[in-house]
Amino acid sequence: MSDSYRQGLVGRTPGNTAGTDSPSPVPLLQVQDLVKAFPRRAGLFDRRAVSPPRAVDGVSFDVARGETFGLVGESGCGKSTIARCVLYLMRPDSGQVRFDGTDIGQVSTKDLRRLRQRMQMVFQDPFTTLDSRMSAYDIVAEPLLIHGVRGKDERDDRVRQILSLVGLIEDQFNRRPHEFSGGQRQRIGLARALVLNPELVILDEPVSALDVSIQAQVLNLLRDLQQRLGLTYLFIVHDLTIAEYFCDRLAVLYLGAVMELADRETLFREPLHPYTDALLSAVPVPDRRRQRRRQRVIIKGEVVPLSGPQPGCRFRPRCPVGRDRETCANVEPPLREVSPGHWVACHFAGELRNTTVIA
């Protein structure tokens, strides 16, 4: 991650794209130069270690209080790994995660457990993440027991309150997960995350396993809870339609690195990276005439994890702009600010929008 981006994060309120010299509040979450690699061996019988691919490679961003910050990208780009590193469910190899000014990597195990009361996660699959042997009430009460809320009356009041808040009725409290629909199971998972009164909630594709009509209900519930409880969301999503509706700012990831970062309106109105352009061109629009006139950007090939440090742009093999350019082959583009709050990692940012190039 470039030094200019790290310096740009200091003293600026995330989401404020106007730019200002006045002091800004400290973001609730700050991620700087996060790196996570997964070691592997050369083969089944060859135990020599090879250069491990980096699932997350120098990612930096910050999230303001009350904001919804989205991580967008194809499967395998490192979104869920970032989420687990933020919570220290998975320890990063290097980099820094600061929550409310506290460096999570420097705290003791006891203090980390205390911090986790303020940071919770809602997982993608609303069935496999719930214990099938436990009732909805017991699932939501379990975090209170783990974190030392032993008073039965206090625990009972809190569990019933939060289950009602997410839309379940009292007759359903003692049912087990298999007795609920997918949307209801996700509401139980959300209640489990909220029962400790967290400030930051990480949403790991919470609606991707649900029907479209149920997705809208859950998203509206999430937005309502954010306003009522003052929550901050880190939202992992691959559906750009949902990202446009739900997120305040977004970072577009590719092979573990940020390709573009901007507020929602800027990113969807004026994408500058060819990868962002390609993702947006794949999103259908309801206007049939407009859909027929749209210029589709098609990128060929699959996402292939890097086998180790390589020169040049990681998107170059699939890029319709820089595939045959020497600069893109030899120099990795830094993440630079091209306008207030709009960052892009591309040597030829915006060029695709001014051409009719199709891969």
Side-chain angles (χ1 to χ4, degrees):
M1 187 59 61
S2 65
D3 291 337
S4 61
Y5 181 66
R6 290 198 300 270
Q7 294 167 2
L9 291 178
V10 178
R12 176 180 298 165
T13 302
N16 179 7
T17 58
T20 178
D21 295 329
S22 60
S24 299
V26 175
L28 180 63
L29 177 67
Q30 295 172 289
V31 176
Q32 295 183 1
D33 293 327
L34 197 67
V35 173
K36 179 62 182 178
F38 295 98
R40 59 189 179 92
R41 302 293 178 178
L44 180 62
F45 300 105
D46 188 347
R47 306 304 294 171
R48 293 174 301 170
V50 298
S51 181
R54 289 184 171 186
V56 181
D57 192 6
V59 169
S60 296
F61 61 88
D62 58 4
V63 185
R65 294 177 186 276
E67 181 182 31
T68 299
F69 186 87
L71 297 177
V72 182
E74 296 172 274
S75 296
C77 70
K79 305 185 297 294
S80 295
T81 302
I82 292 173
R84 284 159 174 77
C85 288
V86 165
L87 290 176
Y88 266 67
L89 298 175
M90 183 183 292
R91 184 168 289 273
D93 298 327
S94 63
Q96 189 179 66
V97 178
R98 300 184 70 86
F99 178 77
D100 198 15
T102 300
D103 186 348
I104 299 178
Q106 301 301 317
V107 302
S108 65
T109 302
K110 181 179 179 180
D111 289 337
L112 179 59
R113 169 176 279 197
R114 191 177 296 114
L115 273 176
R116 284 205 180 119
Q117 295 184 49
R118 304 169 63 193
M119 303 182 294
Q120 290 292 307
M121 188 167 182
V122 178
F123 296 92
Q124 178 177 355
D125 190 334
F127 189 77
T128 58
T129 55
L130 302 179
D131 192 330
S132 61
R133 300 165 299 177
M134 300 173 68
S135 67
Y137 179 96
D138 292 333
I139 289 171
V140 176
E142 187 176 30
L144 297 174
L145 289 168
I146 291 172
H147 288 279
V149 180
R150 301 297 179 182
K152 187 179 184 308
D153 291 340
E154 179 185 355
R155 195 167 62 244
D156 185 70
D157 289 344
R158 181 59 184 160
V159 171
R160 292 179 179 279
Q161 178 187 17
I162 203 69
L163 282 171
S164 299
L165 193 62
V166 299
L168 297 182
I169 60 175
E170 191 159 351
D171 289 345
Q172 298 172 315
F173 291 179
N174 290 318
R175 296 181 186 177
R176 286 173 170 75
H178 71 273
E179 300 178 80
F180 292 98
S181 67
Q184 289 171 328
R185 287 195 290 264
Q186 195 60 289
R187 290 170 187 265
I188 297 170
L190 179 59
R192 179 178 59 184
L194 297 180
V195 74
L196 291 170
N197 290 318
E199 298 169 52
L200 173 69
V201 179
I202 298 177
L203 305 168
D204 189 0
E205 302 204 32
V207 297
S208 63
L210 306 178
D211 294 337
V212 174
S213 59
I214 305 301
Q215 287 182 5
Q217 294 177 19
V218 174
L219 288 172
N220 289 333
L221 172 64
L222 288 169
R223 176 159 287 178
D224 179 60
L225 291 172
Q226 183 178 35
Q227 295 172 352
R228 294 175 64 176
L229 304 178
L231 300 172
T232 301
Y233 289 147
L234 177 60
F235 191 70
I236 297 170
V237 60
H238 69 270
D239 188 327
L240 289 173
T241 305
I242 292 175
E244 184 178 17
Y245 168 75
F246 198 72
C247 298
D248 299 314
R249 287 191 307 138
L250 298 110
V252 180
L253 300 174
Y254 186 79
L255 288 181
V258 176
M259 298 290 100
E260 189 164 3
L261 189 154
D263 67 90
R264 173 186 57 204
E265 185 176 339
T266 301
L267 190 75
F268 281 85
R269 186 188 69 246
E270 191 180 355
L272 297 178
H273 198 283
Y275 180 57
T276 310
D277 251 326
L279 292 179
L280 292 177
S281 75
V283 178
V285 295
D287 188 326
R288 185 180 301 176
R289 293 180 181 178
R290 184 183 167 196
Q291 177 69 20
R292 284 199 298 262
R293 293 196 304 267
R294 294 176 73 199
Q295 181 68 55
R296 178 72 190 276
V297 180
I298 301 175
I299 52 177
K300 298 180 179 180
E302 300 292 333
V303 179
V304 180
L306 301 177
S307 58
Q310 296 181 5
C313 176
R314 65 192 65 215
F315 184 60
R316 183 187 65 83
R318 304 175 69 195
C319 182
V321 173
R323 184 184 298 125
D324 301 318
R325 282 175 152 157
E326 185 177 353
T327 302
C328 298
N330 298 314
V331 181
E332 183 176 10
L335 188 63
R336 57 191 175 91
E337 190 174 25
V338 294
S339 62
H342 193 173
W343 302 78
V344 63
C346 182
H347 295 299
F348 305 97
E351 182 173 310
L352 184 61
R353 295 188 62 78
N354 299 321
T355 67
T356 56
V357 174
I358 299 181

